[in-house]
Amino acid sequence: MKKTLLAAAIALSTTFASAAPVSIAFDADDTAAFWSKPAAGSFTDEYVFTVPYQLSALSASVTTSIVGNRDIDFSRVYLTDGSSTLFNFLQTSTDATGSEQWALTDAPLLAGINYHLFLEGSSAATGALYAGELSVMPASAVPEPGSVALVLAGLGAAGLVGWRRRRA
């Protein structure tokens, strides 16, 4: 029994590679780039980042590059807050060569939280490459209910004054 478990553990460790998380940061243009050349076989790559605005809208894309038999097939690309999945990227295209494009658009994120971007898949041969980019912008603010009530009260008062003037 112990030999079987040991053999299974060795087999899994040789076919599944998982590197330590890589920190990425946003530049002055509010973008962050990342890329990797995973070894042949299954892989999970993890990137950690925080957003620069209190309420940010994150857009992201990942593209695989194919040269000869060097191909990457993603099984899942997703974003977590460290404990639960927040957003799954969608595969938006695959061209005739097999190159994949995955994207996430306008995901609302908060500052001060370490977000984790995971890319899971398999690489047909060493030397396959993927590259991605994250971009953020301040999310449009949503007014608080008190502010909305104040605006409505002001419009109502202005309407009442106009109604009284027409009546007089």
Side-chain angles (χ1 to χ4, degrees):
M1 177 76 169
K2 288 182 182 179
K3 288 182 180 180
T4 305
L5 289 175
L6 181 60
I10 291 171
L12 283 174
S13 68
T14 58
T15 59
F16 180 78
S18 181
V22 175
S23 293
I24 54 177
F26 291 92
D27 61 18
D29 295 329
D30 294 332
T31 60
F34 58 92
W35 64 274
S36 180
K37 286 185 174 183
S42 297
F43 68 89
T44 298
D45 288 343
E46 178 182 2
Y47 298 91
V48 179
F49 65 92
T50 59
V51 293
Y53 304 110
Q54 184 57 38
L55 182 59
S56 296
L58 175 78
S59 294
S61 65
V62 181
T63 304
T64 61
S65 177
I66 297 177
V67 178
N69 66 346
R70 298 178 188 154
D71 181 19
I72 291 178
D73 293 313
F74 287 117
S75 56
R76 186 173 180 209
V77 180
Y78 60 101
L79 188 67
T80 76
D81 61 3
S83 61
S84 62
T85 300
L86 300 175
F87 302 101
N88 286 302
F89 282 55
L90 297 175
Q91 185 173 0
T92 56
S93 68
T94 302
D95 67 17
T97 66
S99 178
E100 298 178 11
Q101 175 88 29
W102 291 67
L104 177 67
T105 306
D106 295 332
L109 301 180
L110 299 173
I113 297 173
N114 283 332
Y115 292 101
H116 302 257
L117 172 63
F118 287 94
L119 298 104
E120 298 176 350
S122 62
S123 178
T126 300
L129 171 72
Y130 70 80
E133 182 176 88
L134 306 174
S135 63
V136 293
M137 58 187 276
S140 44
V142 176
E144 294 184 18
S147 299
V148 172
L150 188 59
V151 168
L152 291 176
L155 289 173
L160 180 63
V161 167
W163 177 75
R164 282 185 156 188
R165 284 187 180 171
R166 276 185 283 182
R167 201 166 167 224

